[in-house]
Amino acid sequence: MGSRERRARRGSLARAFGLGLPGEGASDGCALHIAPAGWVQVENCRGIERFDGTSLVLKIGERRVCIEGDELCVEVYRETMTAVRGRIFRVTFLRDGREEG
């Protein structure tokens, strides 16, 4: 990794939550993109653990990401990417059933 990449990663959200990048001790290499228009995109999602219309829990390796809101809809579900639309109120990371970060 070059010095420019290290500087870019220094303050990244992935690093803050310990998600890292492949080859840096991370087992999942997940990326989370949140758009102000009510979209959340999760790359390298391993599956949907729970979905009830107001909360969605996605598996991302050893961790889970919980997306809470109103009128949630899974727009795209693929092996490499999951996209969720709705009025999103909260996004939390879970490990062993407890909130992280």
Side-chain angles (χ1 to χ4, degrees), residues 2 6-8 10 15-16 21 30 32 35 45-46 48-50 57 67 73-74 76 82 88 98:
R6 272 194 297 269
R7 278 193 303 269
R10 210 173 280 153
R15 183 174 179 185
L21 294 172
C30 171
L32 183 73
C45 170
R46 308 255 173 128
I48 297 174
E49 188 172 282
R50 186 180 76 235
V57 178
I67 302 166
C73 177
V74 177
V76 178
T82 301
I88 297 159
R98 292 182 302 235

Side-chain angles (χ1 to χ4, degrees), residues 1-13 15 21 24:
M1 179 181 307
S3 63
R4 182 182 302 174
E5 292 166 336
R6 272 194 297 269
R7 278 193 303 269
R9 289 241 327 117
R10 210 173 280 153
S12 75
L13 180 65
R15 183 174 179 185
L21 294 172
E24 293 186 354

Side-chain angles (χ1 to χ4, degrees), residues 32-84:
L32 183 73
H33 306 277
I34 303 171
W39 280 90
V40 174
Q41 180 177 332
V42 182
E43 294 178 18
N44 295 330
C45 170
R46 308 255 173 128
I48 297 174
E49 188 172 282
R50 186 180 76 235
F51 180 51
D52 64 12
T54 60
S55 71
L56 172 68
V57 178
L58 301 171
K59 297 181 223 175
I60 52 171
E62 297 175 10
R63 295 173 178 84
R64 309 287 187 261
V65 63
C66 180
I67 302 166
E68 297 174 89
D70 283 338
E71 302 173 9
L72 296 180
C73 177
V74 177
E75 290 285 323
V76 178
Y77 181 70
R78 293 188 203 135
E79 183 177 324
T80 58
M81 190 265 297
T82 301
V84 180

